[in-house]
Structures are given as C-alpha cells and as structure tokens.
Coordinates of all heavy atoms in Angstrom, one line a residue:
V213 N 120.7 82.1 115.5 CA 121.8 83.0 115.1 C 123.1 82.2 115.0 O 123.9 82.4 114.0 CB 121.9 84.2 116.0 CG1 123.2 85.0 115.7 CG2 120.7 85.1 115.9
R214 N 123.3 81.3 115.9 CA 124.6 80.6 116.0 C 124.6 79.5 114.9 O 125.7 79.3 114.3 CB 124.7 80.0 117.4 CG 126.1 79.2 117.6 CD 126.2 78.7 119.0 NE 125.3 77.7 119.3 CZ 124.3 77.9 120.2 NH1 124.1 79.1 120.8 NH2 123.4 76.9 120.4
T215 N 123.6 78.8 114.7 CA 123.6 77.7 113.7 C 123.2 78.1 112.3 O 123.7 77.5 111.3 CB 122.6 76.6 114.2 OG1 121.3 77.1 114.3 CG2 123.1 76.1 115.5
E216 N 122.3 79.1 112.1 CA 121.9 79.5 110.8 C 122.2 80.9 110.3 O 121.9 81.3 109.2 CB 120.3 79.3 110.8 CG 119.9 77.9 111.1 CD 118.3 77.8 111.2 OE1 117.7 78.3 110.3 OE2 117.8 77.2 112.2
G217 N 122.7 81.7 111.3 CA 123.0 83.1 110.9 C 121.9 84.0 111.3 O 120.8 83.6 111.4
P218 N 122.2 85.3 111.5 CA 121.2 86.3 111.9 C 120.0 86.4 110.9 O 118.9 86.7 111.2 CB 122.0 87.6 112.0 CG 123.4 87.2 112.1 CD 123.5 85.9 111.4
R219 N 120.3 86.2 109.6 CA 119.3 86.3 108.5 C 118.2 85.3 108.7 O 117.0 85.6 108.2 CB 119.9 86.2 107.1 CG 120.9 87.4 106.8 CD 121.4 87.2 105.4 NE 120.4 87.3 104.4 CZ 120.6 87.2 103.1 NH1 121.8 87.1 102.7 NH2 119.6 87.4 102.2
S220 N 118.4 84.2 109.4 CA 117.4 83.2 109.5 C 116.2 83.7 110.4 O 115.1 83.2 110.3 CB 118.0 82.0 110.2 OG 118.4 82.2 111.5
L221 N 116.5 84.7 111.2 CA 115.4 85.3 112.1 C 114.4 86.1 111.2 O 113.3 86.3 111.7 CB 116.0 86.2 113.1 CG 117.0 85.6 114.1 CD1 117.6 86.7 115.0 CD2 116.2 84.6 115.0
Y222 N 114.8 86.4 110.0 CA 113.9 87.2 109.1 C 113.5 86.5 107.9 O 113.1 87.1 106.9 CB 114.6 88.5 108.8 CG 114.7 89.5 109.9 CD1 115.8 89.5 110.8 CD2 113.6 90.4 110.2 CE1 115.8 90.4 111.8 CE2 113.7 91.3 111.2 CZ 114.8 91.3 112.1 OH 114.9 92.2 113.1
N223 N 113.5 85.1 107.9 CA 113.0 84.3 106.8 C 111.5 84.6 106.6 O 110.7 84.5 107.6 CB 113.2 82.9 107.1 CG 114.7 82.5 106.9 OD1 115.4 83.2 106.3 ND2 115.0 81.3 107.5
G224 N 111.1 85.0 105.4 CA 109.7 85.3 105.1 C 109.3 86.7 105.5 O 108.1 87.1 105.4
L225 N 110.3 87.6 105.8 CA 109.9 89.0 106.1 C 109.3 89.8 105.0 O 108.3 90.5 105.2 CB 111.2 89.7 106.6 CG 111.0 91.2 106.9 CD1 110.1 91.4 108.1 CD2 112.4 91.9 107.2
V226 N 109.8 89.6 103.8 CA 109.2 90.3 102.6 C 107.7 90.0 102.5 O 106.9 91.0 102.3 CB 110.0 90.0 101.3 CG1 109.3 90.7 100.1 CG2 111.4 90.4 101.5
A227 N 107.4 88.8 102.5 CA 106.0 88.4 102.4 C 105.1 89.0 103.5 O 104.0 89.4 103.4 CB 105.8 86.9 102.4
G228 N 105.8 89.0 104.7 CA 105.1 89.5 105.9 C 104.8 91.0 105.8 O 103.8 91.5 106.1
L229 N 105.8 91.8 105.2 CA 105.7 93.2 105.0 C 104.6 93.5 104.0 O 103.8 94.5 104.1 CB 107.0 93.8 104.7 CG 108.1 93.8 105.7 CD1 109.3 94.4 105.2 CD2 107.6 94.5 107.0
Q230 N 104.6 92.7 102.9 CA 103.6 92.9 101.9 C 102.2 92.7 102.4 O 101.2 93.4 102.1 CB 103.9 91.9 100.7 CG 105.1 92.3 99.9 CD 105.4 91.2 98.9 OE1 104.9 90.1 98.9 NE2 106.3 91.6 97.9
R231 N 102.1 91.7 103.3 CA 100.8 91.4 103.9 C 100.3 92.5 104.8 O 99.2 93.0 104.8 CB 100.8 90.1 104.6 CG 99.6 89.7 105.4 CD 99.7 88.4 106.2 NE 98.5 88.1 106.9 CZ 98.3 88.6 108.1 NH1 99.1 89.4 108.8 NH2 97.1 88.2 108.8
Q232 N 101.3 93.0 105.6 CA 100.9 94.1 106.5 C 100.5 95.4 105.8 O 99.6 96.0 106.2 CB 102.1 94.3 107.5 CG 102.4 93.2 108.5 CD 101.3 92.9 109.4 OE1 100.3 93.6 109.5 NE2 101.4 91.8 110.2
M233 N 101.3 95.7 104.8 CA 101.0 97.0 104.1 C 99.7 97.0 103.4 O 99.0 98.0 103.3 CB 102.1 97.2 103.0 CG 102.2 98.6 102.5 SD 102.6 99.8 103.9 CE 102.1 101.3 103.3
S234 N 99.2 95.8 102.9 CA 97.9 95.7 102.3 C 96.8 95.4 103.3 O 95.7 96.0 103.2 CB 98.0 94.6 101.2 OG 98.3 93.4 101.7
F235 N 97.0 94.4 104.2 CA 96.0 94.0 105.1 C 95.8 94.9 106.2 O 94.7 95.3 106.5 CB 96.3 92.5 105.5 CG 95.3 91.9 106.4 CD1 94.0 91.8 106.0 CD2 95.7 91.4 107.7 CE1 93.0 91.2 106.9 CE2 94.7 90.8 108.5 CZ 93.4 90.7 108.1
A236 N 96.9 95.3 106.9 CA 96.7 96.1 108.1 C 96.2 97.5 107.8 O 95.5 98.1 108.6 CB 98.1 96.2 108.8
S237 N 96.6 98.0 106.6 CA 96.2 99.4 106.3 C 94.7 99.4 106.1 O 94.1 100.4 106.4 CB 96.9 99.8 104.9 OG 96.5 98.9 103.9
V238 N 94.1 98.3 105.6 CA 92.6 98.2 105.5 C 92.0 98.0 106.8 O 91.0 98.7 107.2 CB 92.3 97.1 104.5 CG1 90.7 97.0 104.4 CG2 92.8 97.5 103.1
R239 N 92.4 96.9 107.5 CA 91.7 96.6 108.8 C 91.8 97.6 109.9 O 90.9 97.9 110.6 CB 92.2 95.2 109.3 CG 93.5 95.2 109.9 CD 93.9 93.7 110.3 NE 95.3 93.7 110.8 CZ 95.6 93.8 112.1 NH1 94.6 94.0 113.0 NH2 96.9 93.7 112.5
I240 N 93.0 98.2 110.0 CA 93.2 99.3 111.0 C 92.7 100.6 110.5 O 92.1 101.4 111.3 CB 94.7 99.3 111.5 CG1 95.1 97.9 112.0 CG2 94.9 100.4 112.5 CD1 96.5 97.8 112.3
G241 N 93.1 100.9 109.3 CA 92.7 102.2 108.7 C 91.2 102.5 108.7 O 90.7 103.6 108.8
L242 N 90.5 101.4 108.4 CA 89.0 101.5 108.3 C 88.3 101.3 109.6 O 87.1 101.6 109.7 CB 88.5 100.5 107.3 CG 88.7 100.8 105.8 CD1 88.1 99.6 105.0 CD2 88.0 102.1 105.4
Y243 N 89.0 100.9 110.7 CA 88.3 100.6 111.9 C 87.4 101.8 112.5 O 86.3 101.6 112.8 CB 89.3 100.2 113.0 CG 88.7 99.9 114.3 CD1 87.8 98.9 114.6 CD2 88.9 100.8 115.4 CE1 87.3 98.7 115.8 CE2 88.4 100.6 116.6 CZ 87.5 99.6 116.8 OH 87.0 99.4 118.1
D244 N 88.0 103.0 112.5 CA 87.3 104.1 113.1 C 86.0 104.4 112.3 O 85.0 104.7 112.8 CB 88.2 105.3 113.2 CG 89.2 105.2 114.3 OD1 89.0 104.5 115.2 OD2 90.2 105.9 114.1
S245 N 86.2 104.4 110.9 CA 85.0 104.7 110.1 C 83.9 103.6 110.2 O 82.7 104.0 110.3 CB 85.5 104.8 108.6 OG 86.5 105.7 108.5
V246 N 84.3 102.4 110.3 CA 83.3 101.3 110.4 C 82.7 101.4 111.8 O 81.4 101.2 111.9 CB 84.0 99.9 110.2 CG1 83.0 98.8 110.5 CG2 84.5 99.8 108.8
K247 N 83.5 101.7 112.8 CA 82.9 101.7 114.2 C 81.9 102.9 114.2 O 80.8 102.7 114.8 CB 84.0 102.0 115.2 CG 83.6 102.1 116.6 CD 84.7 102.4 117.6 CE 85.1 103.9 117.4 NZ 86.1 104.3 118.4
Q248 N 82.2 104.0 113.7 CA 81.2 105.1 113.7 C 80.0 104.8 112.9 O 78.9 105.2 113.3 CB 81.9 106.4 113.1 CG 83.1 106.9 113.9 CD 83.8 108.0 113.2 OE1 83.5 108.4 112.1 NE2 84.9 108.5 113.8
F249 N 80.1 104.1 111.8 CA 79.0 103.7 111.0 C 78.0 102.8 111.8 O 76.8 103.0 111.8 CB 79.4 103.0 109.7 CG 78.3 102.5 108.9 CD1 77.6 103.3 108.0 CD2 78.0 101.1 108.9 CE1 76.6 102.8 107.3 CE2 76.9 100.6 108.2 CZ 76.2 101.5 107.3
Y250 N 78.6 101.8 112.5 CA 77.7 100.8 113.2 C 77.2 101.4 114.5 O 76.1 101.0 114.9 CB 78.5 99.5 113.4 CG 78.5 98.6 112.2 CD1 79.6 98.5 111.4 CD2 77.3 97.9 111.8 CE1 79.6 97.7 110.3 CE2 77.3 97.1 110.7 CZ 78.5 97.0 110.0 OH 78.5 96.2 108.8
T251 N 78.0 102.2 115.1 CA 77.4 102.8 116.4 C 76.3 103.8 116.2 O 75.5 104.0 117.1 CB 78.6 103.5 117.2 OG1 79.2 104.4 116.3 CG2 79.6 102.4 117.7
K252 N 76.2 104.3 115.0 CA 75.1 105.2 114.7 C 73.8 104.4 114.4 O 72.8 105.0 114.6 CB 75.5 106.1 113.5 CG 76.5 107.1 113.8 CD 76.8 108.0 112.5 CE 77.9 109.0 112.8 NZ 78.3 109.8 111.6

C-alpha cells in the first residue's frame, strides 16, 4: 500500500472473479447432486 498504492492489492481481481463465477458455481453448485448420485 505504501510503495504501490492500495490498488496493487487487487491486481488480477477481474480475472479471479471471472474464474470464481464460472468455476466455483460448477464445482460447489454441483457437489450435493454429485454426492447424492455416487452415494446411491
């Protein structure tokens, strides 16, 4: 923050949010359904 400014803490945030919205929604959203499928 002192040498590069507060914005430096969020370098690459946009790419991270895009990844989470696409990747996390699938891996977490499908977890319960997949778990139920395999436990049966």
Side-chain angles (χ1 to χ4, degrees):
V213 171
R214 185 175 64 251
T215 59
E216 304 173 44
R219 294 182 63 181
S220 64
L221 298 174
Y222 287 92
N223 287 338
L225 176 64
V226 175
L229 293 179
Q230 291 174 343
R231 176 182 179 275
Q232 294 296 354
M233 198 64 201
S234 58
F235 182 54
S237 61
V238 174
R239 71 182 178 92
I240 299 171
L242 284 179
Y243 174 70
D244 287 336
S245 301
V246 173
K247 182 183 73 172
Q248 291 171 6
F249 175 80
Y250 278 105
T251 51
K252 288 179 182 179

